[in-house]
Amino acid sequence: MLKFYNTLTRTKQDFEPLGKAVTMYSCGPTVYSYAHIGNLRTYIFMDLVRRALRYEGYKLKGVLNITDVGHLMADSDDGEDKMVQASRAEKKSPWEIAEYYTKVFFEDLGKLNIGRPEIIAKATDHINDMIKYVEALLEAGYAYETSDGIYFDIQKFEGYGKLSGAKLDEQIAGARVEVNSEKRHPADFALWKKADPLHIMQWDSPWGKGYPGWHIECSVMSQKYLGEVFDIHSGGVDHIPIHHENEIAQNEALTGKQSVNYWLHGEFMLVDGGKMSKSLGNTYTIAQLEEKGYSPMDFRFFCLNAHYRKKLNFTFDGMDAAKVSRERLLNQLAQHKASPAKTPAETLAKYRSEFKAAIEDDLNIPLALGVLFTAVKEPKSIDIYNLALEFDKVFGLSLDKLPAPKKEESAPLPPEIAELVEQRAAAKKNRDFALADSLRTRINEMGYNILDTRDGVVVTPIEK
Ligand code: AMP
Ligand code: ZN
């Protein structure tokens, strides 16, 4: 049985959907810029959840939203709308900005084999629904009006903080010096913002012209398409303390029901061990990785090697290792495909059950990949190739797109290099990492790359 780690209950739980089709909402991109590889890791995670559910025989009803208004520079209510800022910087209308980055976003998803959820919901297509929702919250006494907008009154909602475990008084202590003195609590958040006449994106509302808050978008669009209670909500871990907490408050204030049964969160991607940020110049896009000679599948493969609840550190060494490892895998599969021999049914069944167990254990994709890596070491047989294609329904690595089969070409290494490689292996075994590193440098200086991949050390001449 499929099990997921639920952020809300902080336990791994059996997955029991409400109906025939699993209802799932995923927080989508704010389309003010290109998606970076960290964002894309989170969408690969969404895709893996969807593929695993399908593999387990479920039908899906998934919603992915496109935030094209209302996401301010900080996840709380501070700063300018990201769309408006991009519009000024690029001298285009926010609608042109949204259209362009939405198009590129879906191209990126396509390159990464991330399937499109059944429903794509754009925030600006749902403004009237949002206004109605805010009116209902006001009527129910969970919201109040100030001179600059309508705010959610978090002290009225008892369960505030249940997803992140944060206490209300801690939130007061942690809040910045309050700019908006009309708010009843520092963590009260805007449902609707009143716009000044110069603001580009604004709509008529009972409170004058304005635009919606970011959190209300996800409550409105999830409940509109999936109902008051649905199965899964996914997103990145950064959304737990504010965005998802606020979604819960809005949903549950209005319906009195627990709105989401399983909250799934993907961990962050780091770059060179640190935060990704535009100022550090390390927010790579898929197009940039392609320019550097990597295929989008190398990146997907790189992501699949880490469990979704573990931080993943992006480095170009790691990408090189992923590239080499994936190419070897494809080459091995091409040889299996070309072989008419059979693999015993019990052997295939054993791999199948190990694979299924890994997937069902909170989506342990690295373990599932390990099963595939062991299987390809079997004597060459078309059955192994077909088994890999079966697994690929979850991996989504395009394992059917194979190079022409070639024998593993292993031009013998010059003896002095082979000797250094052996010494390095011994140093690593003895945990003498300083020595291992200096041996690596010597190998590099002598014109060879050395990569540690999950199926062994690969040494190749450095291309001139
Ligand atoms: P945004 O467009 O900022 O709302 O982000 C889109 C998605 O990417 C959200 O689900 C975020 O949680 C996720 N995200 C943002 N930064 C990272 C990162 N460094 N690693 C993984 N996911 C991220
Ligand atoms: Zn959201």
Side-chain angles (χ1 to χ4, degrees):
M1 184 168 204
L2 195 52
K3 283 189 168 60
F4 285 126
Y5 179 86
N6 187 350
T7 310
L8 186 64
T9 57
R10 295 165 183 78
T11 50
K12 258 190 221 173
Q13 283 178 286
D14 288 345
F15 178 65
E16 292 178 56
L18 293 159
K20 285 212 180 76
V22 173
T23 42
M24 172 166 170
Y25 185 87
S26 306
C27 283
T30 306
V31 282
Y32 71 110
S33 181
Y34 296 107
H36 60 58
I37 51 176
N39 302 137
L40 292 167
R41 181 188 188 200
T42 294
Y43 299 113
I44 290 175
F45 156 59
M46 167 194 83
D47 184 58
L48 291 170
V49 173
R50 289 170 48 81
R51 285 171 179 269
L53 288 164
R54 253 197 244 109
Y55 183 81
E56 293 281 319
Y58 294 112
K59 291 205 172 7
L60 296 177
K61 185 174 181 189
V63 178
L64 177 72
N65 72 289
I66 301 292
T67 295
D68 53 357
V69 64
H71 193 166
L72 304 187
M73 292 315 290
D75 282 356
S76 47
D77 295 315
D78 300 322
E80 198 174 19
D81 188 311
K82 289 183 176 181
M83 297 301 301
V84 171
Q85 201 185 54
S87 135
R88 204 182 42 246
E90 296 193 27
K91 300 195 171 49
K92 288 183 187 152
S93 79
W95 285 272
E96 285 170 309
I97 298 280
E99 194 184 334
Y100 174 71
Y101 289 112
T102 305
K103 179 174 132 295
V104 180
F105 175 71
F106 283 111
E107 284 167 7
D108 285 350
L109 295 199
K111 287 179 187 173
L112 289 166
N113 281 348
I114 299 173
R116 246 173 126 105
E118 289 63 33
I119 298 164
I120 305 295
K122 230 166 75 174
T124 51
D125 287 342
H126 296 79
I127 302 288
N128 280 334
D129 297 307
M130 295 175 201
I131 291 173
K132 285 199 196 106
Y133 207 107
V134 177
E135 283 184 308
L137 283 170
L138 275 167
E139 246 164 62
Y142 283 100
Y144 59 93
E145 186 168 356
T146 69
S147 56
D148 76 341
I150 311 295
Y151 286 82
F152 189 92
D153 191 343
I154 61 167
Q155 292 167 104
K156 290 260 166 68
F157 178 66
E158 271 200 8
Y160 197 84
K162 66 181 173 182
L163 189 65
S164 58
K167 301 263 173 325
L168 263 193
D169 36 349
E170 285 166 15
Q171 301 230 348
I172 298 180
R176 297 188 310 110
V177 180
E178 199 41 58
V179 226
N180 185 344
S181 58
E182 290 177 72
K183 278 192 346 185
R184 295 181 187 164
H185 186 283
D188 285 355
F189 56 91
L191 299 165
W192 184 265
K193 282 261 188 178
K194 297 178 185 173
D196 67 57
L198 292 176
H199 199 275
I200 318 174
M201 301 186 95
Q202 49 175 295
W203 290 263
D204 284 323
S205 81
W207 319 286
K209 284 187 186 291
Y211 58 98
W214 170 41
H215 318 295
I216 196 75
E217 300 180 0
C218 286
S219 281
V220 166
M221 294 187 280
S222 58
Q223 300 207 329
K224 172 162 182 157
Y225 296 105
L226 304 176
E228 288 182 350
V229 181
F230 56 96
D231 295 309
I232 299 177
H233 195 311
S234 79
V237 287
D238 55 328
H239 287 344
I240 299 172
I242 298 178
H243 184 49
H244 291 163
E245 206 73 86
N246 292 354
E247 269 187 58
I248 291 179
Q250 294 164 153
N251 297 350
E252 302 188 5
L254 212 54
T255 66
K257 297 175 190 158
Q258 182 184 312
S259 51
V260 176
N261 285 338
Y262 301 86
W263 281 95
L264 310 186
H265 289 101
E267 248 301 347
F268 252 39
M269 174 168 273
L270 308 175
V271 173
D272 295 326
K275 208 174 140 56
M276 246 182 261
S277 88
K278 286 225 169 91
S279 59
L280 294 172
N282 63 5
T283 54
Y284 302 108
T285 62
I286 277 299
Q288 285 169 329
L289 295 190
E290 286 177 297
E291 277 160 26
K292 287 182 189 284
Y294 301 102
S295 130
M297 279 306 101
D298 293 331
F299 179 69
R300 185 168 174 117
F301 184 79
F302 175 77
C303 290
L304 263 52
N305 276 283
H307 190 264
Y308 79 88
R309 284 199 291 120
K310 293 246 159 70
K311 290 193 177 63
L312 174 58
N313 187 25
F314 178 91
T315 60
F316 283 101
D317 272 356
M319 273 298 284
D320 288 339
K323 186 179 167 69
V324 168
S325 193
R326 191 179 72 88
E327 280 166 6
R328 281 186 136 195
L329 173 68
L330 294 184
N331 192 36
Q332 282 163 323
L333 286 175
Q335 293 174 41
H336 281 289
K337 188 181 178 188
S339 161
K342 306 292 290 170
T343 303
E346 318 79 81
T347 309
L348 295 171
K350 179 179 82 83
Y351 288 129
R352 245 182 225 118
S353 82
E354 285 172 7
F355 174 82
K356 196 166 154 55
I359 297 299
E360 291 184 345
D361 183 15
D362 190 29
L363 214 60
N364 195 338
I365 301 287
L367 192 61
L369 269 181
V371 176
L372 177 61
F373 272 90
T374 313
V376 293
K377 291 195 185 114
E378 291 284 336
K380 299 291 176 278
S381 119
I382 181 82
D383 292 336
I384 296 290
Y385 170 69
N386 287 327
L387 185 75
L389 293 194
E390 221 177 286
F391 293 175
D392 201 40
K393 292 200 174 108
V394 179
F395 296 142
L397 285 169
S398 293
L399 297 182
D400 56 339
K401 299 206 176 74
L402 296 177
K406 53 177 184 199
K407 284 265 159 261
E408 298 261 294
E409 43 0 267
S410 45
L413 291 175
E416 62 278 18
I417 302 289
E419 171 63 26
L420 291 174
V421 171
E422 254 176 51
Q423 287 177 16
R424 179 172 171 270
K428 281 186 74 169
K429 206 167 162 207
N430 297 333
R431 309 188 64 78
D432 186 348
F433 298 113
L435 177 60
D437 276 351
S438 75
L439 287 162
R440 169 205 279 267
T441 309
R442 271 180 59 203
I443 293 167
N444 293 156
E445 283 163 2
M446 290 168 79
Y448 283 80
N449 266 325
I450 177 159
L451 283 174
D452 299 307
T453 72
R454 59 182 294 157
D455 55 347
V457 171
V458 178
V459 186
T460 48
I462 294 175
E463 281 171 32
K464 298 264 153 47

